[in-house]
Amino acid sequence: WPIPAALQLVPGPRRVSSGWLRPPGASRETPRRSAPRPGTMFPSTGSNGLYKAPLSKSLLLVPSALSVLLTLLFQHYQKFFTYNLQAVKEDFQIWRLVFGRTVCLDLKDTFCSSLLIYNFRIFERRYGSRKFSSFLLGCWMLSALFDLLLVEVVQYAFGITISSLPSGFLGPVFALFVPFFCSIPRMQVTQILGQFPITNKTLVYILGLQLVTSGSYIWIVALSGLISGMCYSSSVLKVHQMLCVPSWLARIFSWTLEPIFSSAEPSNEIRVGMGATVDIQRQQRMELLDRQIMMSQFAQMRRQRQQQGRVINWNRFLPPLRRRHNANYQDNGQSEQEAPPPAEVSEEQVARLMEMGFSRVDALEALRASNNDLNVATNFLLQH
C-alpha cells in the first residue's frame, strides 16, 4: 500500500536524537513490511512500550487521568466537558469544541481509545513526533468542521435533531485508521475454523468497531474522523501543508514536555510470539542470530570507516543469509556455497532511501548487499 502523502518521509539527517523535532526518516524504527512474528496479533511496532513516542505517551496518560477523575471524583465538572453542539450553535460557546473534544466522559471510550493510541504509536516512531502531532492537530480541527456538517445533514435528511455528541479525543483516533489501512501491510496470522483468516490488523479493527458501537451517535464522530484523515492524507488537497505544528511550538514542547513523557530504551526486551513447533522456533532463532551477526559486522565496519575515512564495501561484510533447506525440499544439484546472482537495484527504492537522507552510494551498496530488500537496507542505514 502506498504511504499517504501527509505522512510520507522527507529528507532529513540520519543521526538525530529522538523527540518532538526529530525529522521524519531519522527514527531508528523502520517501515516494517515483513510478516509479523507467528502468534502476534498486532502489527509490528518495533520495541515494546512507548520508547520514541512521547506524544503517544502524553495522550495516553493525561486524557485518561482526567477521564477517571471526572468520572469518579469530580462529576459536577463534567458539564464543562460535554460536547454540546446546540450550545455551540445557539449560544456561541466555541470553547466546547475544545473541552468537549479532549476528554472522554465514558470510561469504555477511554479504554478503547487508549488501546488504539498505543497501537498507533508506530506512526510517531516512523515519521517523528512533530509530523505525527501535525497529523493529529489537523484531523482534530477538520473533524470539528465535519461534525457540524454531518449533524446538519442528518437533521436535513432524516429530521433527527442531535444536540450533543460523545466527548473525547475520538476524531483523530479514527483518522489514524486511514494511514493504518494504507501503510500497514495485512499479514495473515491464523485462521478460525479453517475459513476465516485472522491477520495482524484484526484486533485493531475490532477495537475500532467496539468504539463505534459504544454510543448512539459516535458513528458521526467516527465518520468525520475518517473523512478528516483522508482529507489530511490527500496529496491533492495539500491540507498537511496548511495545518501543521510550527517549528517554534515544536521546539517549546521539545524543551518542556519531552523530558517528562520520554521513555527509556528497553534494555532487556524479551521477544514473544515464537513459533508453535520446534522447527519454527529454531528457524526464528537462527534468523535472529544472522541479523545480530550482520549488525555487529556493520557496526565494526562503520567504525573503521569513521577512522580511516574510506567508503564501506558493503558486499564484504553483508554476506547473504545462510541458505537453509527444508528436509522435504532439498536441492541436490546445487552447493550450499553457491551464491545467487546479484539482483538489479531498483531506482525507485534508491530514490526512497535518498528521500530519507542517505547518499546514493550508500543506498546502492545497501540494496545490493541486501539482495534488493528495501527493509533490510533501511534497517542497517537507520540503526547505525
Side-chain angles (χ1 to χ4, degrees):
W1 291 92
I3 300 177
L7 290 178
Q8 285 184 353
L9 297 173
V10 298
R14 261 180 282 175
R15 302 187 64 85
V16 181
S17 60
S18 62
W20 296 80
L21 292 175
R22 185 178 62 248
S27 173
R28 293 182 64 179
E29 266 58 40
T30 62
R32 304 182 186 269
R33 296 185 178 272
S34 58
R37 295 186 298 269
T40 304
M41 300 296 292
F42 290 96
S44 176
T45 56
S47 301
N48 293 329
L50 294 166
Y51 176 60
K52 290 186 179 294
L55 179 59
S56 300
K57 185 176 182 179
S58 63
L59 291 176
L60 283 174
L61 296 179
V62 177
S64 300
L66 291 176
S67 177
V68 172
L69 291 176
L70 289 174
T71 303
L72 301 179
L73 301 179
F74 304 102
Q75 298 181 0
H76 52 284
Y77 290 112
Q78 289 187 358
K79 60 183 179 180
F80 297 107
F81 294 89
T82 303
Y83 191 16
N84 193 334
L85 295 179
Q86 186 175 1
V88 173
K89 292 184 293 185
E90 296 180 358
D91 301 334
F92 298 101
Q93 297 180 2
I94 308 299
W95 56 271
R96 290 191 178 273
L97 293 176
V98 178
F99 288 89
R101 305 177 64 249
T102 305
V103 181
C104 293
L105 298 180
D106 191 339
L107 291 181
K108 299 190 302 293
D109 296 346
T110 303
F111 179 74
C112 292
S113 60
S114 299
L115 288 178
L116 289 174
I117 291 174
Y118 180 79
N119 284 278
F120 289 150
R121 75 196 188 282
I122 181 177
F123 297 115
E124 184 176 4
R125 290 175 172 174
R126 287 186 180 184
Y127 311 116
S129 297
R130 181 185 175 188
K131 201 159 194 175
F132 183 66
S133 60
S134 298
F135 180 85
L136 295 179
L137 176 63
C139 294
W140 186 74
M141 298 175 65
L142 290 175
S143 60
L145 175 62
F146 288 120
D147 285 345
L148 298 173
L149 292 178
L150 289 175
V151 167
E152 294 296 331
V153 169
V154 170
Q155 183 176 1
Y156 178 80
F158 304 101
I160 301 176
T161 302
I162 301 176
S163 59
S164 61
L165 291 175
S167 303
F169 195 71
L170 301 177
V173 172
F174 285 109
L176 285 170
F177 276 98
V178 176
F180 180 77
F181 177 80
C182 295
S183 61
I184 302 298
R186 176 181 177 271
M187 300 297 179
Q188 181 173 333
V189 176
T190 184
Q191 286 185 343
I192 297 179
L193 302 178
Q195 296 181 352
F196 304 100
I198 301 297
T199 68
N200 58 324
K201 303 168 69 173
T202 300
L203 290 185
V204 179
Y205 288 134
I206 292 177
L207 281 175
L209 183 62
Q210 171 64 30
L211 188 58
V212 169
T213 57
S214 63
S216 56
Y217 296 117
I218 197 173
W219 63 271
I220 296 180
V221 180
L223 184 58
S224 65
L226 292 175
I227 296 174
S228 62
M230 289 185 288
C231 292
Y232 195 90
S233 302
S234 174
S235 59
V236 178
L237 300 178
K238 305 293 183 181
V239 180
H240 59 279
Q241 297 181 359
M242 297 179 292
L243 300 178
C244 62
V245 176
S247 59
W248 61 268
L249 184 60
R251 191 175 298 108
I252 293 176
F253 286 149
S254 177
W255 292 339
T256 56
L257 298 182
E258 183 184 354
I260 300 176
F261 295 105
S262 60
S263 299
E265 182 178 4
S267 56
N268 297 323
E269 186 177 9
I270 301 176
R271 294 183 177 270
V272 296
M274 295 295 290
T277 65
V278 177
D279 292 337
I280 295 177
Q281 293 180 8
R282 186 182 299 112
Q283 177 88 6
Q284 291 176 338
R285 292 192 184 98
M286 295 302 293
E287 290 177 354
L288 177 60
L289 180 60
D290 282 338
R291 289 195 296 268
Q292 292 176 349
I293 293 174
M294 287 191 297
M295 296 285 278
S296 62
Q297 292 175 345
F298 180 87
Q300 182 179 0
M301 294 300 295
R302 174 73 73 176
R303 289 192 295 268
Q304 293 179 2
R305 179 188 181 184
Q306 293 176 353
Q307 294 174 359
Q308 302 175 3
R310 295 181 299 185
V311 179
I312 297 178
N313 184 6
W314 293 72
N315 294 321
R316 293 177 56 190
F317 64 89
L318 281 179
L321 294 177
R322 293 194 303 271
R323 302 174 60 194
R324 305 187 186 90
H325 298 277
N326 189 289
N328 299 326
Y329 300 95
Q330 289 189 353
D331 188 1
N332 297 324
Q334 295 182 352
S335 173
E336 288 189 2
Q337 284 83 15
E338 183 179 357
E344 287 189 14
V345 177
S346 172
E347 288 297 329
E348 180 182 358
Q349 293 182 349
V350 174
R352 291 186 62 181
L353 289 176
M354 292 178 66
E355 288 178 356
M356 299 180 192
F358 305 111
S359 65
R360 180 177 178 82
V361 175
D362 286 348
L364 289 171
E365 295 295 339
L367 289 172
R368 291 194 189 102
S370 61
N371 197 19
N372 212 25
D373 191 326
L374 181 62
N375 293 323
V376 176
T378 309
N379 189 29
F380 284 113
L381 289 172
L382 287 177
Q383 295 196 7
H384 296 273

